[in-house]
Amino acid sequence: MLEKIIILDFGSQYTQLIARRVRELNVYCEIHPFNNIPEITSNVKGIILSGSPYSVRQDDAPQVDLNTFDNYPMLAVCYGAQYIAQQSGGEVQASSTREYGRANLNYVSNSNKLFKNIALDSQVWMSHGDTITQVPENFELIASTESVKVAAYQVKDTDTYAIQFHPEVTHSTDGKQLLENFLVDICGCKQEWTPDAFVETTIAALQSQLGEDKVVLALSGGVDSSVAAILLHKAIGKNLHCIFVDNGLLRKDEYEGVLEQYKHLGLNIKGVDAKERFLSQLAGLTDPELKRKAIGRVFIEVFDDEAHQVQDVKWLAQGTIYPDIIESVSVKGPSATIKSHHNVGGLPDFMKLKVVEPLNTLFKDEVRRVGRSLGLEHFIIGRHPFPGPGLAIRILGEVTAEKVAILQEADAIYINNLKEAGLYDKVWQAGAIFLPVQSVGVMGDERTYENAIALRAVESVDGMTADWCHLPYNVLAKISNEIINKVKGINRVVYDISSKPPATIEWE
Ligand code: XMP
């Protein structure tokens, strides 16, 4: 059975980062909320306790029964470290100043397994308001910084270790080494979780799960649905029926290009031209959420029509990834919905299909690595994210066929120039936005009164936060010239220099 590490989440902003670091070390891990602990099966090799925005001194601080993990190696980070210390009779007090940022180890027990190959003076990242001021006698101090004496401890004669700093953050320069020491030397993990191993085990699992059943999958052209499709294709071949819908809101030539690419990969795929259906339902709508809802509704109708043409289909496959399903620890109540990001999710309710989600244990970067291991071309793996409602949410206000055509041209010029300048792969997401704002211009001897295009390019890790890219002026100048000269209906180009938050990536 696949060996795994359980990460118990106390609500820290860094919990997912811990998981990603563990997986980068080729060890499979799962995040579970502290108040919903899974059964600890024999393939669990160790437990990591996360940090938390809570203080252990608060009455409503998260609690776990540490006895549940008796005899399992444990690494407790930040809040986790304070929690074990406090539960075992130590003392945790509010620091006089909240310690946030870099510190250096001025004591390291090199004979300790956790600190193997970690030098004195190693930089660590601190982020805590409380400090462990006293530990019980059976705790051995194994690292300190100048201001935090108990920077790390081991409960003597056990495999329980705790650290006040965050090894998952890159500012902790030996954080990776420390995690590897824990995983390999303390938990005995074999580091066999690789993209190739994932592909092999997933294909076998899909084959036994699906047998001879037929499966439908909506391809979007994006990385997740493409990787899901190839995995399923390798597992069940022609029993996978892919549907690629042209909603009329894709990038220029995207529908034909992507369809061709998929056919080339051997997928059993049907392209559906539903441009008119989408556009007619968008007529007169100006509110972004109403536009999203209309597109979602039409998509379900179109997909349902097509899926029903596949005789005896039993399964709906989706490219859901791990961050979509991690049960989050709600610290300040459920976050308000800013945009309803509905993708294909929620489709099957009325279709009565069983759902198969081959990527639901993977982070985005892992999906890309699996895609590479499957031989998917850069053309698909390296694509920028593109929203389900497509250009409809990049045309402010009402969407018309004419505006879509204008935006497609401008966007194609923008993206091609980024590619030519070698910038496309450095940008996380880029796109043009149609602004229905008329302004005066002059072309030749004529006065123009046309619309504007905004260009957006952002750097991000997961789309949750983003910063605008500092694209070179000469590239921006070339793009602006080309758009204004070639795209009829546009006489002004602006560059969006807003970060998220407070702005969002898309304009609607
Ligand atoms: P925002 O605009 O919320 O975008 O900063 C964050 C990421 O989500 C994408 N996005 C969407 N994706 N349906 C989608 O499938 C949507 O309605 C939607 N709205 C935004 C956006 O492109 C960015 O990658």
Side-chain angles (χ1 to χ4, degrees):
M1 242 209 294
L2 179 68
E3 55 184 28
K4 71 176 168 192
I5 296 288
I6 300 281
I7 300 173
L8 272 202
D9 184 18
F10 291 113
S12 162
Q13 56 170 333
Y14 294 131
T15 305
Q16 288 198 23
L17 205 49
I18 300 180
R20 283 164 59 182
R21 295 284 175 260
V22 170
R23 296 211 187 170
E24 277 163 22
L25 289 160
N26 298 333
V27 175
Y28 177 68
C29 61
E30 288 172 1
I31 298 174
H32 293 275
F34 70 94
N35 52 5
N36 193 6
I37 301 173
E39 190 195 341
I40 308 294
T41 45
S42 60
N43 56 329
V44 173
K45 305 294 280 183
I47 314 286
I48 297 180
L49 305 187
S50 84
S52 177
Y54 280 92
S55 154
V56 292
R57 296 174 299 104
Q58 276 171 275
D59 290 339
D60 54 351
Q63 307 279 327
V64 285
D65 178 1
L66 292 168
N67 294 326
T68 319
F69 314 111
D70 264 353
N71 305 323
Y72 284 88
M74 185 183 289
L75 177 66
V77 177
C78 197
Y79 177 91
Q82 296 171 358
Y83 184 75
I84 296 179
Q86 191 208 40
Q87 294 286 309
S88 313
E91 231 172 64
V92 176
Q93 289 180 353
S95 321
S96 47
T97 51
R98 187 179 150 77
E99 196 182 19
Y100 186 82
R102 295 173 175 82
N104 293 83
L105 298 179
N106 67 359
Y107 165 69
V108 175
S109 165
N110 271 125
S111 59
N112 192 279
K113 282 186 195 169
L114 191 66
F115 282 89
K116 190 183 84 180
N117 295 334
I118 298 180
L120 192 68
D121 213 36
S122 177
Q123 177 180 294
V124 294
W125 184 259
M126 293 285 187
S127 173
H128 58 112
D130 288 352
T131 306
I132 303 169
T133 47
Q134 211 178 330
V135 288
E137 268 184 14
N138 64 329
F139 281 31
E140 184 188 343
L141 197 66
I142 52 176
S144 307
T145 66
E146 196 183 323
S147 53
V148 180
K149 187 162 168 251
V150 188
Y153 64 78
Q154 177 185 3
V155 181
K156 281 184 195 158
D157 305 320
T158 73
D159 278 331
T160 298
Y161 296 79
I163 46 181
Q164 180 59 70
F165 55 89
H166 288 270
E168 66 277 16
V169 176
T170 48
H171 303 296
S172 290
T173 38
D174 290 315
K176 192 169 176 190
Q177 177 71 55
L178 185 141
L179 286 173
E180 188 164 11
N181 292 344
F182 175 69
L183 297 171
V184 179
D185 295 10
I186 296 167
C187 300
C189 292
K190 295 201 192 72
Q191 297 182 288
E192 289 173 339
W193 166 256
T194 58
D196 286 351
F198 174 84
V199 168
E200 199 180 307
T201 51
T202 305
I203 289 177
L206 287 171
Q207 281 166 340
S208 78
Q209 183 182 17
L210 303 171
E212 294 299 314
D213 289 354
K214 288 187 187 163
V215 178
V216 280
L217 177 142
L219 274 172
S220 69
V223 183
D224 303 343
S225 67
S226 303
V227 173
I230 302 294
L231 269 174
L232 281 154
H233 175 70
K234 296 219 175 205
I236 61 166
K238 294 287 174 210
N239 276 339
L240 173 68
H241 294 255
C242 300
I243 296 165
F244 182 36
V245 177
D246 184 359
N247 58 11
L249 305 161
L250 302 173
R251 294 194 137 119
K252 187 183 176 191
D253 298 333
E254 180 105 333
Y255 178 64
E256 296 76 12
V258 170
L259 199 56
E260 204 39 53
Q261 185 80 9
Y262 283 139
K263 284 188 179 151
H264 170 71
L265 288 166
L267 291 183
N268 179 8
I269 180 167
K270 182 167 179 201
V272 184
D273 177 354
K275 290 199 275 288
E276 293 308 323
R277 267 174 96 167
F278 281 90
L279 273 180
S280 65
Q281 292 299 309
L282 283 168
L285 297 183
T286 53
D287 178 81
E289 287 305 292
L290 292 181
K291 292 200 284 185
R292 277 191 172 83
K293 289 205 170 77
I295 293 165
R297 193 183 61 239
V298 180
F299 185 85
I300 291 172
E301 288 166 15
V302 172
F303 187 77
D304 191 37
D305 287 352
E306 293 301 324
H308 274 106
Q309 292 181 28
V310 181
Q311 292 242 310
D312 300 327
V313 59
K314 293 221 164 50
W315 297 84
L316 173 79
Q318 298 196 124
T320 317
I321 64 171
Y322 195 40
D324 302 333
I325 60 159
I326 295 175
E327 201 185 324
S328 58
V329 174
S330 177
V331 180
K332 298 192 175 76
S335 61
T337 302
I338 297 171
K339 298 179 188 185
S340 55
H341 287 196
H342 50 71
N343 286 326
V344 191
L347 260 185
D349 286 5
F350 70 95
M351 289 176 63
K352 305 281 177 267
L353 294 176
K354 290 186 275 186
V355 177
V356 54
E357 296 174 322
L359 307 179
N360 66 7
T361 58
L362 300 187
F363 288 105
K364 189 90 182 176
D365 44 340
E366 293 176 313
V367 175
R368 290 211 168 89
R369 267 183 268 151
V370 166
R372 268 183 227 116
S373 146
L374 285 165
L376 264 185
E377 286 169 45
H378 188 67
F379 171 73
I380 290 180
I381 296 180
R383 309 176 80 143
H384 289 174
F386 187 69
L391 300 181
I393 56 166
R394 293 186 182 167
I395 292 170
L396 303 198
E398 190 183 3
V399 178
T400 63
E402 191 197 359
K403 289 179 194 167
V404 172
I406 291 176
L407 182 56
Q408 281 177 332
E409 290 304 321
D411 179 75
I413 291 173
Y414 180 31
I415 299 297
N416 287 339
N417 270 285
L418 288 180
K419 286 184 178 161
E420 273 170 30
L423 292 166
Y424 183 83
D425 291 334
K426 298 197 175 114
V427 168
W428 191 77
Q429 182 171 18
I433 299 105
F434 180 94
L435 308 183
V437 178
Q438 280 173 295
S439 70
V440 173
V442 52
M443 266 205 167
D445 291 332
E446 267 182 55
R447 174 188 189 273
T448 60
Y449 190 52
E450 309 273 31
N451 294 293
I453 286 285
L455 306 176
R456 183 91 165 119
V458 295
E459 291 166 2
S460 177
V461 176
D462 50 15
M464 301 296 286
T465 58
D467 203 0
W468 61 279
C469 293
H470 295 212
L471 293 182
Y473 281 177
N474 59 337
V475 177
L476 286 172
K478 181 158 178 277
I479 295 166
S480 161
N481 266 341
E482 221 172 303
I483 291 177
I484 294 173
N485 286 332
K486 292 191 182 158
V487 185
K488 212 167 164 288
I490 299 298
N491 67 351
R492 199 172 289 269
V493 171
V494 297
Y495 189 54
D496 183 350
I497 54 168
S498 330
S499 61
K500 171 185 179 176
T504 51
I505 297 177
E506 304 293 347
W507 277 47
E508 284 200 333

